[in-house]
Amino acid sequence: RLGDLLSVGVLVSPDPAKAVEYYRAAEEAGVAAAKLRLAELTLRGEGVERDVQRGIDFLTEAGATNPASAYLKLGNVYASDQYGVTDGAKALHYLKLSAEAGNANAFVRIGELYRDGVAVEADQKKAFEAFEKAAVAGISSAKLKLGEAYVRGLGVAPDVDRGMALISEASAEENFVASAALGGHLMSGIYTERRPEQAVRYLEQAGEGGNGSALYRLGIMYRDGDGVVSDPRKAIDYFLRAAASNVAAAQVDLAQS
């Protein structure tokens, strides 16, 4: 716990080097989670010299006692281009081991790799199957991704009603990304009937959660009086909040206001 506090600077000034000392002591005392923390710091070179292979070794060792978490992290290392060890086959291997150990979030990551063609050849059907497994396990982000697959017909025959129902289910679980997606579909009307009044409600939910995309769309709707009474001042306020969330399009709209 002392390592965690020093690593991120909770109640004290951040001191990664000191955090490494505590994690090493905890590891020697048999605390399994300490090896995961050491791996993360070693991979990033925080408080210790950056050593990707040593970080991978830590994660591999941690997998013996905590396969669900350690192999998820290891799979992400091999899927990333940050460490110079990108290997799609190894990424999938460790993500599958994590999933077999009960970590349904690993299925989400597998789905993302196949959907986006990251470290592996894009395969929308395999992405859909992975998202479906995670959604069945109750992972909210997977319900959103599975819903989008149904809406857009990615890896499965299009079923907009089923897709929107899944996205709505994720939104009801306070998944603000899902609320933004739901509002976006209802605003655009590309895949489903256009219902701007309902779109505003979902976008406001997402905006309250800090979703920049939702804040930007709300700015457009208040600017244009779409689903709401036109209110230029409110529109600018939403654009400002979206811009603060690094939404580039909001910065353009502000410059043109």
Side-chain angles (χ1 to χ4, degrees):
R1 184 59 180 150
L2 283 170
D4 292 339
L5 297 177
L6 289 163
S7 176
V8 298
V10 177
L11 302 178
V12 294
S13 298
D15 189 339
K18 197 68 175 177
V20 168
E21 290 181 20
Y22 283 117
Y23 286 141
R24 282 176 174 158
E27 180 202 6
E28 290 172 3
V31 179
K35 202 178 288 288
L36 291 177
R37 303 289 191 275
L38 279 172
E40 292 168 355
L41 293 176
T42 303
L43 286 165
R44 295 196 299 263
E46 294 180 11
V48 64
E49 184 177 353
R50 189 171 190 257
D51 187 334
V52 172
Q53 187 55 55
R54 184 63 180 133
I56 288 173
D57 290 343
F58 276 133
L59 290 175
T60 304
E61 293 165 12
T65 54
N66 187 357
S69 295
Y71 290 148
L72 175 63
K73 293 179 186 295
L74 196 50
N76 282 328
V77 168
Y78 283 116
S80 174
D81 60 2
Q82 296 180 36
Y83 307 104
V85 292
T86 306
D87 187 321
K90 285 185 178 180
L92 290 175
H93 171 71
Y94 285 109
L95 290 171
K96 288 174 182 176
L97 287 178
S98 175
E100 289 169 4
N103 190 344
N105 283 298
F107 283 125
V108 177
R109 189 63 180 133
I110 290 170
E112 291 171 343
L113 297 187
Y114 277 124
R115 181 194 64 192
D116 302 332
V118 174
V120 298
E121 185 176 350
D123 188 323
Q124 299 304 324
K125 189 174 188 303
K126 287 182 178 178
F128 173 86
E129 291 169 350
F131 290 144
E132 187 173 41
K133 289 176 181 177
V136 169
I139 304 299
S140 181
S141 62
K143 294 175 186 178
L144 166 60
K145 297 175 195 301
L146 187 65
E148 290 289 0
Y150 272 117
V151 167
R152 301 169 188 273
L154 299 174
V156 65
D159 188 335
V160 174
D161 289 342
R162 188 169 184 181
M164 292 293 283
L166 281 163
I167 299 172
S168 181
E169 186 177 335
S171 172
E173 296 169 349
E174 297 188 354
N175 182 325
F176 298 121
V177 177
S179 296
L182 198 57
H185 284 309
L186 293 169
M187 175 187 175
S188 70
I190 295 174
Y191 296 101
T192 187
E193 180 185 350
R194 192 169 187 278
R195 285 168 279 178
E197 293 82 5
Q198 287 188 30
V200 169
R201 178 163 59 89
Y202 287 111
L203 292 173
E204 286 178 341
Q205 288 177 7
E208 288 171 5
N211 184 280
S213 173
L215 292 168
Y216 175 62
R217 286 191 171 108
L218 284 166
I220 293 173
M221 298 185 85
Y222 274 100
R223 181 195 65 193
D224 299 341
D226 185 14
V228 293
V229 176
S230 178
D231 189 329
R233 293 184 66 178
K234 250 187 178 179
I236 289 175
D237 178 62
Y238 277 122
F239 285 145
L240 284 169
R241 292 168 63 189
S245 296
N246 298 316
V247 178
Q251 298 170 0
V252 173
D253 277 275
L254 281 170
Q256 296 174 345
S257 298

